[in-house]
């Protein structure tokens, strides 16, 4: 029955679910104002929500408001990472709605915000499987035209970049979004320029992270921070993203965990997995 509902109605039900989960209550008028529906339609949405999750909300006739119950279990799966990002950036929609309430969540400052029109053109190229001409400013050669075949947009923790095949170097590389000043969509790429051929993107690297053996006095705290099991965190990361993650988390990549400093709270125990990975110069303590 739930799958038979339309997308718009699912959005409204998700908004009810979100408000109950994060705000603890919701007025019928909140739904009316957010989605510009009539009173009867809003009442119908609450009735449908109660059919799927009757124990999630109770109505207070005096305050004319629905409240979360002690038995509340979210009807929708709210992605934690996406929700936090949207809360921090004051973005609201049906599935990650925040309404008009200010939540005490802050995001760290970024170097710069990519031009939305640049991003839009790149997304169009990716979705329509097209190459692009761009004006790109690099640290080594300055500004110049490049032909790229982008396949993914990535947040590396510090800034946004695109992963693309570079026709100049005939290789897959990362290009910082804020350094792109112009984009024009071009022809259809060749087979060797597609994401399936990007070996560093397709290859997953297993990382075994443990509390640093020298810099951490109470390793239990680090185990709790990273949700470790048996005093270790086992994750898989794309080879092309490995260096970014190791730098972002300040993971000591030396052979015996010899980096000293409070910022190094993690040590890469299976260092041998980093063989044959490109762009590892930014990984703390890594040496070929």
């Amino acid at each position: 029955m739930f799958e038979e509902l339309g997308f718009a109605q699912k959005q409204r039900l998700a908004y009810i679910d979100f408000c109950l989960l994060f705000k603890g209550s919701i007025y019928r008028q909140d739904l009316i104002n957010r989605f510009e529906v009539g009173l009867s339609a809003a009442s119908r949405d609450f009735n449908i929500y109660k059919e799927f999750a009757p124990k999630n909300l109770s109505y207070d006739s005096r305050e004319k408001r629905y409240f979360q119950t002690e038995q509340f279990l979210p009807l929708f799966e709210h992605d934690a990472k996406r929700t936090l990002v949207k809360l921090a950036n004051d973005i609201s929609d049906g599935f990650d709605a925040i309404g008009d309430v200010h939540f005490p969540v802050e995001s760290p400052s970024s170097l710069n915000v990519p031009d939305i029109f640049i991003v839009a053109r790149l997304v169009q190229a990716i979705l329509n499987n097209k190459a692009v001409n761009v004006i790109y400013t690099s640290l080594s050669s300055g500004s110049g035209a490049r032909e790229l075949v982008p396949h993914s947009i990535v947040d590396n923790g510090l800034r946004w970049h695109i992963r693309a095949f570079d026709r100049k170097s005939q290789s897959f590389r990362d290009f910082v979004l804020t350094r792109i000043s112009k984009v024009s969509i071009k022809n259809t790429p060749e087979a060797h320029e597609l994401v399936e051929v990007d070996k560093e993107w397709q290859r997953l690297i297993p990382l075994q992270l443990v509390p640093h053996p020298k810099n951490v006095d109470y390793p239990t705290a680090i185990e709790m921070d990273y949700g470790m099991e048996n005093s270790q965190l086992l994750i898989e990361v794309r080879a092309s993203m490995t260096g970014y993650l190791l730098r972002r988390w300040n993971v000591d990549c030396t052979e015996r965990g010899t980096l000293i400093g409070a910022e190094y709270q993690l040590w890469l125990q299976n260092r041998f997995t980093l063989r044959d990975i490109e762009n590892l110069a930014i990984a703390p303590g890594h040496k070929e």
Side-chain angles (χ1 to χ4, degrees):
M1 182 178 176
F2 185 82
E3 298 302 323
E4 297 175 0
L5 297 177
F7 179 78
Q9 190 155 56
K10 286 182 180 178
Q11 279 190 311
R12 297 195 296 272
L13 297 183
Y15 181 78
I16 295 173
D17 198 53
F18 184 94
C19 288
L20 289 172
L21 177 60
F22 289 96
K23 293 170 58 178
S25 66
I26 179 173
Y27 291 97
R28 189 182 287 113
Q29 193 64 39
D30 292 337
L31 194 67
I32 294 172
N33 294 341
R34 175 64 180 83
F35 293 96
E36 299 182 351
V37 297
L39 179 61
S40 59
S43 298
R44 185 164 57 251
D45 288 331
F46 278 97
N47 288 332
I48 292 175
Y49 184 90
K50 285 190 289 186
E51 289 180 14
F52 289 111
K55 297 182 179 180
N56 273 9
L57 73 170
S58 61
Y59 184 69
D60 188 316
S61 57
R62 184 181 61 180
E63 295 195 27
K64 297 182 179 180
R65 183 166 27 156
Y66 291 91
F67 285 90
Q68 179 195 109
T69 64
E70 292 183 359
Q71 297 81 26
F72 178 84
L73 291 174
L75 181 60
F76 290 80
E77 184 176 347
H78 299 273
D79 182 87
K81 182 177 179 180
R82 291 178 60 191
T83 299
L84 285 173
V85 170
K86 291 201 171 189
L87 291 176
N89 291 280
D90 198 30
I91 300 172
S92 175
D93 62 24
F95 288 95
D96 303 286
I98 62 174
D100 297 321
V101 177
H102 175 71
F103 288 85
V105 180
E106 296 292 336
S107 61
S109 299
S110 56
L111 289 178
N112 200 355
V113 179
D115 187 307
I116 190 63
F117 297 105
I118 296 292
V119 175
R121 297 290 279 177
L122 291 170
V123 170
Q124 288 178 37
I126 293 171
L127 293 180
N128 292 288
N129 193 29
K130 296 290 185 181
V132 294
N133 274 351
V134 304
I135 301 299
Y136 188 76
T137 303
S138 71
L139 291 174
S140 58
S141 57
S143 297
R146 286 179 182 262
E147 286 193 18
L148 308 177
V149 182
H151 66 68
S152 301
I153 296 180
V154 181
D155 177 11
N156 67 17
L158 180 62
R159 53 197 172 195
W160 294 88
H161 69 256
I162 60 167
R163 182 75 176 173
F165 182 82
D166 176 26
R167 287 177 172 172
K168 180 179 180 180
S169 64
Q170 287 292 299
S171 63
F172 287 95
R173 294 189 174 187
D174 299 337
F175 296 88
V176 181
L177 277 181
T178 51
R179 297 180 186 172
I180 299 175
S181 57
K182 186 178 180 180
V183 178
S184 56
I185 298 179
K186 303 298 288 184
N187 56 343
T188 301
E190 303 291 335
H192 70 280
E193 300 172 327
L194 301 178
V195 61
E196 292 81 8
V197 189
D198 188 349
K199 295 181 180 179
E200 291 294 289
W201 181 264
Q202 299 294 343
R203 185 159 61 115
L204 295 178
I205 305 299
L207 300 180
Q208 184 179 12
L209 306 177
V210 299
H212 199 282
K214 297 181 175 64
N215 299 329
V216 176
D217 294 329
Y218 301 98
T220 302
I222 303 302
E223 295 171 15
M224 296 172 68
D225 283 346
Y226 292 89
M228 293 183 178
E229 295 183 2
N230 299 320
S231 300
Q232 62 180 357
L233 176 64
L234 301 176
I235 58 175
E236 286 189 331
V237 184
R238 295 186 188 276
S240 61
M241 295 291 294
T242 302
Y244 296 123
L245 181 139
L246 294 171
R247 179 180 65 172
R248 183 180 183 182
W249 289 5
N250 286 323
V251 179
D252 184 345
C253 298
T254 60
E255 186 174 357
R256 303 184 187 280
T258 54
L259 294 182
I260 303 300
E263 68 271 28
Y264 302 113
Q265 299 179 343
L266 295 172
W267 175 48
L268 180 64
Q269 200 165 44
N270 60 336
R271 184 179 181 277
F272 62 89
T273 62
L274 301 184
R275 288 196 301 263
D276 302 323
I277 298 179
E278 301 174 1
N279 300 328
L280 277 179
I282 60 176
H286 177 264
K287 295 181 180 179
E288 295 293 344

